[in-house]
């Protein structure tokens, strides 16, 4: 038994000494045919030998099994506690996360989020926003035309008109989305993103606009930020303003980012022009409102110090992975 080297050999040994054709088995089976006087002794000694053989087999089996386990642990080692390999996982693009951040700020102030089509009619993109057919402001937009009357929207402002056509005041909405212009350089791409804002209610003033945008600027760029309003022109607002935020790099002292001015332009805004209300049938004696529009790329560039807008759309992972 000591010479048996493995479990297969042990099984052979068992068959040989205890199997159905083994000498001992044959002997034990022939007991009834033996003379009556021999039966007790042959039975007793035969069974004794059988039990000893069985015990020896069992003992050797235990030794061989233990040896095979050690062997298996040694050679087919599988460490089930090793952490799995992580698969590469993508994440939100900086433009998407910035859009959501802007949405969250306004939703927390009670605004709802509206959407409109990217392929628009001249009416919604220009006319109902108080750009008459020959208005010079139209040429500032570098429009992609689909036909004479159909175009890729040049801003998200047409959503204002679509919202007001469907809903009576009070209106508190923002409208994020894509806009298109024939323009391409370090600060312009043919497709870009804007967030439009519109409030219409009784007694809304320019002070409400300023307070709202100050809350926004501080939530977006830090609680120390100041904003300032500069007079400007947009056809659909009167008065119109451009809004600057105090530079978050130099805190208003003047640096390269803000071109030594201490201020960074973040959006356009104003009080909704009564002509726009007339297009959607709002009573401008009863209601006033403000509107604003900002570029998501511009907000993201300022917040993260990105100096070339085209980087957002080249999908160079070395850039994308930084956010
Ligand atoms: N639509 C303007 C643009 O694309 C941005 C803008 C300015 C939107 C003033 C407004 C606003 O709602 O009141 O340049």
């Amino acid at each position: 038994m000591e010479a048996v080297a493995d479990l297969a050999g042990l099984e052979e040994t068992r068959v040989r000494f205890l199997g159905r054709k083994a000498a001992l088995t044959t002997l034990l089976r022939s007991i009834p045919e033996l003379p009556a006087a021999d039966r007790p002794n042959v039975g007793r000694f035969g069974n004794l030998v059988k039990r000893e053989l069985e015990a020896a087999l069992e003992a050797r089996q235990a030794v061989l099994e233990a040896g095979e386990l050690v062997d298996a642990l040694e050679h087919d080692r599988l460490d089930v506690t090793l952490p799995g390999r992580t698969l590469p996982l993508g994440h939100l693009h900086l433009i998407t996360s910035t859009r959501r951040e802007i949405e969250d700020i306004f939703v927390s102030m009670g605004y709802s989020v509206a959407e409109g089509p990217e392929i628009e009619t001249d009416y919604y993109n220009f006319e109902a926003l108080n750009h008459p057919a020959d208005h010079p402001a139209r040429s500032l937009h570098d429009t992609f035309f689909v036909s004479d009357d159909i175009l890729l929207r040049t801003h998200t402002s047409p959503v204002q008109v679509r919202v007001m056509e469907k809903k009576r005041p009070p209106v508190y909405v923002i409208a994020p989305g894509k806009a298109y212009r024939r323009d391409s350089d370090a600060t312009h791409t043919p497709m870009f993103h804007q967030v439009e804002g519109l409030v219409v209610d009784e007694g809304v003033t320019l002070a409400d606009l300023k307070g709202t945008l100050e809350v926004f600027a501080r939530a977006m760029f830090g609680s120390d930020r100041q904003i300032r309003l500069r007079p400007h022109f947009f056809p659909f607002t009167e008065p119109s303003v451009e809004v600057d935020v105090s530079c978050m790099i130099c805190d208003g002292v003047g640096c390269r980012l803000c071109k030594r001015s201490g201020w960074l332009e973040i959006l356009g805004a104003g009080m909704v022009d009564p002509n726009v209300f007339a297009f959607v049938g709002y009573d401008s004696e009863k209601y006033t409102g403000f509107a604003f529009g900002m570029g998501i790329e511009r907000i993201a560039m300022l917040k993260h110090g990105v100096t070339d807008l085209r980087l957002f759309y080249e999908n160079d992972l070395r850039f994308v992975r930084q956010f």
Side-chain angles (χ1 to χ4, degrees), residues 186-199:
T187 52
H188 300 86
T189 46
M191 184 281 301
F192 58 103
H193 297 79
Q194 288 188 330
V195 175
E196 191 74 15
L198 175 69
V199 164

Side-chain angles (χ1 to χ4, degrees), residues 102-103 105-107 109-116 156-176 195-201 212-213 272 282 290-294:
I102 297 167
E103 284 175 8
I105 294 168
F106 284 99
V107 166
M109 289 193 263
Y111 287 60
S112 42
V113 179
E115 271 183 57
T156 46
S157 302
V159 186
Q160 285 187 30
V161 181
R162 291 179 173 277
V163 166
M164 288 190 281
E165 278 181 346
K166 286 206 194 74
K167 191 184 179 314
R168 299 287 96 189
V171 169
Y172 290 81
V173 292
I174 52 164
V195 175
E196 191 74 15
L198 175 69
V199 164
V200 185
D201 208 339
T212 303
L213 293 178
V272 180
Y282 276 15
F290 63 73
F292 55 87
M294 67 184 92

